[in-house]
Short mmCIF file of all heavy atoms in Angstrom, two decimals:
data_model
loop_
_atom_site.label_atom_id
_atom_site.label_comp_id
_atom_site.label_asym_id
_atom_site.label_seq_id
_atom_site.Cartn_x
_atom_site.Cartn_y
_atom_site.Cartn_z
N ARG U 155 2.10 4.47 10.08
CA ARG U 155 2.12 3.40 11.19
C ARG U 155 3.51 2.90 11.37
O ARG U 155 3.91 2.65 12.56
CB ARG U 155 1.17 2.35 10.79
CG ARG U 155 -0.30 2.73 10.89
CD ARG U 155 -1.25 1.75 10.48
NE ARG U 155 -2.72 2.14 10.74
CZ ARG U 155 -3.70 1.37 10.29
NH1 ARG U 155 -3.51 0.35 9.61
NH2 ARG U 155 -4.91 1.82 10.54
N VAL U 156 4.26 2.71 10.35
CA VAL U 156 5.57 2.03 10.48
C VAL U 156 6.62 3.12 11.01
O VAL U 156 7.32 2.80 11.88
CB VAL U 156 6.14 1.48 9.18
CG1 VAL U 156 7.56 0.93 9.28
CG2 VAL U 156 5.14 0.33 8.69
N LEU U 193 -0.16 -4.86 0.84
CA LEU U 193 -0.04 -4.81 2.27
C LEU U 193 -1.23 -4.14 2.84
O LEU U 193 -1.89 -4.57 3.86
CB LEU U 193 1.19 -4.08 2.81
CG LEU U 193 1.54 -4.25 4.28
CD1 LEU U 193 2.04 -5.57 4.63
CD2 LEU U 193 2.43 -3.12 4.84
N TYR U 197 -3.32 -6.64 5.09
CA TYR U 197 -2.91 -6.53 6.52
C TYR U 197 -3.11 -5.09 7.11
O TYR U 197 -3.79 -4.96 8.14
CB TYR U 197 -1.43 -6.85 6.67
CG TYR U 197 -1.10 -8.18 6.26
CD1 TYR U 197 -0.63 -8.55 4.93
CD2 TYR U 197 -1.33 -9.37 7.20
CE1 TYR U 197 -0.34 -9.89 4.61
CE2 TYR U 197 -1.06 -10.64 6.85
CZ TYR U 197 -0.54 -10.93 5.49
OH TYR U 197 -0.23 -12.18 5.11
N CYS U 198 -2.45 -4.09 6.45
CA CYS U 198 -2.57 -2.79 7.09
C CYS U 198 -3.90 -2.05 6.71
O CYS U 198 -3.85 -1.01 6.02
CB CYS U 198 -1.38 -1.92 6.75
SG CYS U 198 -0.96 -0.67 7.89
N PRO U 202 -5.96 -2.88 11.37
CA PRO U 202 -4.85 -3.64 10.91
C PRO U 202 -4.80 -5.07 11.51
O PRO U 202 -5.27 -5.36 12.66
CB PRO U 202 -3.59 -2.88 11.39
CG PRO U 202 -4.02 -2.04 12.49
CD PRO U 202 -5.51 -1.83 12.24
N ILE U 203 -4.19 -6.00 10.75
CA ILE U 203 -3.96 -7.35 11.25
C ILE U 203 -2.40 -7.48 11.44
O ILE U 203 -1.67 -7.81 10.48
CB ILE U 203 -4.41 -8.41 10.16
CG1 ILE U 203 -5.97 -8.07 9.83
CG2 ILE U 203 -4.20 -9.77 10.61
CD1 ILE U 203 -6.49 -8.84 8.60
N CYS U 204 -1.95 -7.11 12.64
CA CYS U 204 -0.54 -7.00 12.82
C CYS U 204 0.18 -8.34 13.17
O CYS U 204 1.37 -8.56 12.69
CB CYS U 204 -0.28 -5.99 14.00
SG CYS U 204 -0.88 -4.36 13.65
N CYS U 207 1.26 -9.77 9.92
CA CYS U 207 1.86 -8.94 8.97
C CYS U 207 3.33 -9.05 8.73
O CYS U 207 4.07 -9.23 9.75
CB CYS U 207 1.54 -7.47 9.41
SG CYS U 207 2.31 -6.17 8.38
N LEU U 209 5.51 -6.97 8.36
CA LEU U 209 6.24 -5.94 8.96
C LEU U 209 6.07 -5.84 10.50
O LEU U 209 6.59 -4.93 11.16
CB LEU U 209 5.83 -4.50 8.35
CG LEU U 209 5.94 -4.35 6.90
CD1 LEU U 209 5.58 -2.97 6.48
CD2 LEU U 209 7.41 -4.62 6.50
N ASP U 210 5.42 -6.94 11.05
CA ASP U 210 5.05 -6.80 12.50
C ASP U 210 6.27 -6.58 13.35
O ASP U 210 6.17 -5.68 14.28
CB ASP U 210 4.49 -8.25 12.83
CG ASP U 210 4.03 -8.31 14.33
OD1 ASP U 210 3.60 -7.32 14.84
OD2 ASP U 210 4.12 -9.35 14.93
N CYS U 213 7.66 -2.60 12.75
CA CYS U 213 6.62 -1.48 12.72
C CYS U 213 6.45 -0.88 14.08
O CYS U 213 6.29 -1.53 15.01
CB CYS U 213 5.31 -2.13 12.16
SG CYS U 213 4.01 -0.86 12.03
N LYS U 215 3.91 0.83 14.73
CA LYS U 215 2.43 0.72 15.01
C LYS U 215 1.74 1.98 15.61
O LYS U 215 0.99 1.94 16.57
CB LYS U 215 2.14 -0.49 15.86
CG LYS U 215 2.65 -1.83 15.34
CD LYS U 215 2.09 -3.04 16.08
CE LYS U 215 2.58 -4.27 15.54
NZ LYS U 215 4.05 -4.67 15.83
N VAL U 218 -2.07 2.56 16.31
CA VAL U 218 -2.82 1.23 16.22
C VAL U 218 -3.27 0.77 17.60
O VAL U 218 -2.56 0.82 18.51
CB VAL U 218 -1.92 0.19 15.56
CG1 VAL U 218 -2.53 -1.14 15.63
CG2 VAL U 218 -1.63 0.56 14.10
S1 SF4 D 1 2.37 -4.33 11.72
FE1 SF4 D 1 0.22 -3.64 11.68
S2 SF4 D 1 0.36 -1.39 11.66
FE2 SF4 D 1 2.35 -2.19 11.00
S3 SF4 D 1 2.22 -2.29 8.76
FE3 SF4 D 1 1.69 -4.28 9.57
S4 SF4 D 1 -0.59 -4.21 9.84
FE4 SF4 D 1 0.19 -2.16 9.55
#
Side-chain angles (χ1 to χ4, degrees):
R155 288 174 172 172
V156 176
L193 189 76
Y197 297 97
C198 208
I203 304 169
C204 299
C207 171
L209 301 184
D210 184 31
C213 179
K215 302 190 179 78
V218 171

